[in-house]
Amino acid sequence: MNIERNRINTFANWPSSALVDSDRLARAGFFYTGNGTEAECFCCGGKISDWNFGDQVMWRHRVLEPNCLMVLSPELSGNIPATSHSTPPIPGERSYSEDEGYGIIAEDQLYRSNSLRLLSFINWNDPISRESLVYAGFYHAGEGRLRCAWCGGEFQSFRNVRNMGTPLEIHRAYFPRCRFAMEVERRDRSHRSPFHAKCS
């Protein structure tokens, strides 16, 4: 079950009422056991069945088995990802190498779209605007934790640093190797982004 495509195939009878998308489960290392909404990790054997709406799959996985290689370093777990997830680069758009990151996990790549990152903040109740966090590359990984979708940089509690500047400035200060944050900062210097102006 280390082959993602095989894991995807196990979800043929995944309940339509399930609160978590089966592709996300397969990408995070899970396959369907055929029992209710129970999914099992091919690597650590951990099982989860009590899914909730808005669950961050890899976060649930990490809470269940924090030492699972699929959580810590998917490339060392023996996982063979489905190539169909690879998105061809947009002409003129930079790609960002994961070796410039701070611990990329499989879940991060799901949030490389503004709309999905914004959705992750559905239960966000901090005075910092979710739009400014999205602009800076962050998504809400649950329980107040923020992660960058490109470099994997994580804040356990953003409120401890929120007075140090804008989310982008804080991102750059704490995770200076993040190519995404560098590029956004460079664009901001050359011309003020309308989206960023709205978020400030």
Side-chain angles (χ1 to χ4, degrees):
M1 283 297 165
N2 64 313
I3 300 173
E4 183 180 343
R5 183 60 58 192
N6 291 346
R7 296 196 299 273
I8 290 172
N9 291 339
T10 68
F11 287 94
N13 295 316
W14 182 244
S16 58
S17 59
L19 300 176
V20 178
D21 180 69
S22 59
D23 281 352
R24 291 175 57 205
L25 290 168
R27 198 176 307 180
F30 291 100
F31 61 89
Y32 184 36
T33 65
N35 181 23
T37 56
E38 182 182 74
E40 179 177 344
C41 173
F42 82 92
C43 185
C44 65
K47 297 178 182 179
I48 303 177
S49 59
D50 58 334
W51 300 103
N52 299 301
F53 179 75
D55 268 347
Q56 311 295 326
V57 177
M58 195 57 83
W59 175 75
R60 290 289 308 272
H61 195 167
R62 183 163 49 243
V63 169
L64 176 71
E65 292 289 349
N67 296 317
C68 176
L69 272 179
M70 188 62 190
V71 170
L72 296 174
S73 186
E75 65 276 8
L76 298 179
S77 69
N79 178 54
I80 300 175
T83 55
S84 61
H85 292 317
S86 299
T87 305
I90 299 170
E93 187 173 276
R94 290 198 56 162
S95 61
Y96 301 93
S97 170
E98 293 187 4
D99 61 10
E100 295 160 335
Y102 295 86
I104 298 289
I105 59 175
E107 192 86 349
D108 294 336
Q109 297 182 33
L110 300 176
Y111 289 97
R112 291 183 179 179
S113 109
N114 287 342
S115 57
L116 287 180
R117 291 201 305 285
L118 194 58
L119 281 174
S120 75
F121 287 95
I122 191 167
N123 296 317
W124 183 250
N125 56 8
D126 194 280
I128 296 179
S129 80
R130 60 195 73 194
E131 290 85 3
S132 64
L133 292 166
V134 165
Y135 182 78
F138 292 115
Y139 68 91
H140 185 211
E143 296 190 345
R145 292 169 44 253
L146 298 183
R147 287 186 62 87
C148 171
W150 281 267
C151 74
E154 180 176 317
F155 287 104
Q156 291 291 327
S157 177
F158 197 76
R159 67 184 56 188
N160 296 334
V161 297
R162 66 186 178 194
N163 294 324
M164 296 176 62
T166 67
L168 181 60
E169 290 167 343
I170 294 168
H171 192 165
R172 288 285 293 119
Y174 277 82
F175 308 109
R177 296 198 313 272
C178 180
R179 301 293 299 179
F180 172 82
M182 285 184 206
E183 184 67 14
V184 174
E185 185 181 57
R186 185 194 64 76
R187 285 202 316 263
D188 276 359
R189 282 200 302 264
S190 60
H191 58 85
R192 187 74 172 169
S193 163
F195 184 57
H196 187 266
K198 172 186 171 185
C199 298
S200 300

